[in-house]
Amino acid sequence: MSTNHPDPEATGADTPHLDFAGTTPYEDYVQADVLTHLQHLRSDDPGEMVFLVTTQVMELWFTVIVHEWETATRALREDRIPVARDALKRSLRELEALNESWRPLAGLTPAQFNSYRGSLGEGSGFQSAMYRRMEFLLGDKSASMLVPHRGAPRVHAELEKALGEPSLYDETLALLARRGYAIPEAVTGRDLTKRYEPSPEVEAVWAEIYSAADQNDELVRLGELLTDVGELVWRWRNDHLVATRRAMGSKTGTGGSAGVAWLEKRATKNVFPELWTARSHV
């Protein structure tokens, strides 16, 4: 027998179900209680909370985007371009939300960051396993990036698997090869554990596709979606660079990274490079 006593004004046909034997169905699905108790602060500074929660939110967006890109990659492998396009379109909105996650940290001053920076120890964003899976799906691979995760067998195994699998761009180029385009064997048969390097022949293929856009509408739309992804990744890297530069200048980053210098180098690189350079030849 229920011991709850709802507000009399709230009773009636439109009253939601309020009495549950255990936790609410919302809690069972969302696990909100778990999410909202993962914030274990390491300093007394009130600003640490927003830094930690923002970082955790970014990790959740990484997880969603990896899901979308893996969906797109499988669909391209199976020649299901509409399914791949839908996944890429969703990922664009998610990348925009990810990029907006920088806003709470965008105005962080050196003094504010220093008030809890020491509590981070050797922790650094480049150690994020899920972000590394994003980078691997973009074709930016390096076996050395598995090293920080040797102490976490499940995470290490997932990264090792991702390192050896085709990237989103690899599957795109394989699809073009199946369509009869002159993608060289050196590209389609390359070592998938290595970083993708630009190819003049691939650039020529994209220039050919874009030069006959009317006949290649499906492939042009795919190319434009990948270009949108590349642009938003570039914006992510630049927003990261600006936020870091404001918070710590040119000091060495946490975890021993070069900080701003390392981020500046990253910000100059484009993913899916021939989709950008081919435009000069159309």
Side-chain angles (χ1 to χ4, degrees):
M1 182 175 181
S2 174
T3 58
N4 290 342
H5 301 283
D7 182 343
E9 294 183 4
T11 59
D14 296 331
T15 303
H17 186 190
L18 302 175
D19 191 7
F20 302 98
T23 55
T24 67
Y26 176 86
E27 175 60 33
D28 293 341
Y29 183 69
V30 177
Q31 298 287 290
D33 186 58
V34 174
L35 286 173
T36 55
H37 287 82
L38 292 174
Q39 295 70 47
H40 306 298
L41 303 180
R42 297 185 176 182
S43 78
D44 295 328
D45 189 273
E48 186 189 352
M49 178 62 112
V50 69
F51 181 86
L52 177 56
V53 170
T54 297
T55 304
Q56 290 175 335
V57 167
M58 288 177 176
E59 286 289 335
L60 292 174
W61 281 125
F62 297 159
T63 303
V64 176
I65 292 165
V66 164
H67 169 75
E68 302 290 19
W69 290 352
E70 287 181 340
T71 299
T73 300
R74 286 193 300 272
L76 289 170
R77 188 180 307 134
E78 298 164 359
D79 291 294
R80 295 186 297 150
I81 292 182
V83 174
R85 281 205 313 263
D86 286 345
L88 291 173
K89 286 177 184 176
R90 290 192 300 270
S91 81
L92 296 180
R93 294 188 289 271
E94 294 147 8
L95 281 164
E96 289 171 350
L98 171 63
N99 290 356
E100 284 295 309
S101 299
W102 283 114
R103 282 189 175 273
L105 305 180
L108 200 61
T109 67
Q112 289 169 333
F113 186 43
N114 286 342
S115 64
Y116 54 82
R117 185 188 182 198
S119 302
L120 306 180
E122 291 296 305
S124 177
F126 80 83
Q127 299 161 5
S128 166
M130 196 56 71
Y131 182 70
R132 192 58 48 202
R133 285 176 63 180
M134 276 182 59
E135 292 279 359
F136 285 0
L137 279 163
L138 292 169
D140 195 350
K141 296 185 176 183
S142 172
S144 65
M145 289 294 99
L146 273 64
V147 174
H149 306 283
R150 287 180 297 186
R154 178 181 59 79
V155 172
H156 187 274
E158 289 173 350
L159 280 173
E160 190 171 41
K161 180 175 181 288
L163 181 70
E165 291 180 334
S167 70
L168 182 56
Y169 198 47
D170 287 324
E171 291 294 2
T172 300
L173 299 181
L175 181 145
L176 295 182
R178 292 194 298 274
R179 295 285 180 95
Y181 289 96
I183 305 296
E185 172 64 26
V187 172
T188 58
R190 73 184 189 86
D191 183 350
L192 295 176
T193 66
K194 305 295 185 183
R195 178 181 291 109
Y196 179 84
E197 298 295 341
S199 159
E201 293 86 355
V202 171
E203 179 186 86
V205 166
W206 281 118
E208 177 187 350
I209 290 169
Y210 273 80
S211 294
D214 290 345
Q215 295 98 308
N216 299 312
D217 177 66
E218 183 178 53
L219 296 178
V220 169
R221 283 190 288 160
L222 175 60
E224 286 301 280
L225 280 170
L226 291 171
T227 304
D228 289 339
V229 166
E231 179 178 339
L232 287 169
V233 169
W234 178 83
R235 292 183 185 278
W236 157 265
R237 291 173 176 175
N238 276 272
D239 287 350
H240 189 183
L241 168 62
V242 172
T244 303
R245 183 180 283 147
R246 288 190 64 153
M248 53 181 280
S250 59
K251 289 184 287 190
T252 301
T254 54
S257 73
V260 163
W262 185 76
L263 293 173
E264 284 176 335
K265 183 179 179 181
R266 301 285 299 155
T268 62
K269 295 182 178 180
N270 286 320
V271 297
F272 319 138
E274 298 92 347
L275 274 166
W276 298 94
T277 57
R279 294 164 195 270
S280 300
H281 308 290
V282 176

